[in-house]
Amino acid sequence: VQLQASGGGLVQAGGSLRLSCAASGRTFSSYAMGWFRQAPGKEREFVAAISWSGGSTYYADSVKGRFTISRDNAKNTVYLQMNSLKPEDTAVYYCAADTNPSLVAGWYDYWGQGTQITVSS
């Protein structure tokens, strides 16, 4: 499966953005999807994940209550709604796909190209 992330940009602290990750292929609905981020000089970290059906979601403590992951299997797309953004959310955000949802980047087989989010204070 090929993944294409979009929706990044520059936003002020407290603002909102929605990321999208469009997948190619007819098997999107069989994959769990995850969002990760990587800030300069830091390791890639887990943000959120969603099961293939959308029935289960998982969040990093740092984004819980502010970010929402969702998916539309009819559109082969997963979303990350980000509210109440903080400067520490600044990073390149990546979407990823795997057969099972995981908090570990190494478990994911497929990755998008990343989209930059910059939150100004």
Side-chain angles (χ1 to χ4, degrees):
V1 61
Q2 292 184 324
L3 305 174
Q4 179 75 36
S6 61
L10 174 64
V11 63
Q12 289 188 334
S16 298
L17 280 175
R18 188 176 80 157
L19 303 183
S20 299
C21 177
S24 63
R26 293 175 288 180
T27 59
F28 172 76
S29 60
S30 65
Y31 285 94
M33 300 295 296
W35 286 98
F36 290 77
R37 68 187 181 187
Q38 188 166 18
K42 295 187 177 182
E43 292 187 354
R44 192 168 297 189
E45 65 174 359
F46 170 77
V47 175
I50 189 167
S51 62
W52 65 270
S53 68
S56 297
T57 56
Y58 311 84
Y59 296 95
D61 288 343
S62 59
V63 307
K64 201 172 292 184
R66 299 189 298 123
F67 291 10
T68 301
I69 188 171
S70 62
R71 67 190 297 159
D72 185 338
N73 286 342
K75 296 182 178 179
N76 281 10
T77 302
V78 63
Y79 306 98
L80 186 68
Q81 178 67 43
M82 304 183 293
N83 299 328
S84 303
L85 282 161
K86 304 175 181 179
E88 51 264 44
D89 294 318
T90 295
V92 177
Y93 284 69
Y94 299 88
C95 58
D98 196 51
T99 52
N100 294 293
S102 173
L103 280 59
V104 179
W107 284 102
Y108 286 82
D109 291 331
Y110 305 99
W111 290 85
Q113 86 287 3
T115 184
Q116 175 72 47
I117 302 294
T118 302
V119 184
S120 62
S121 58

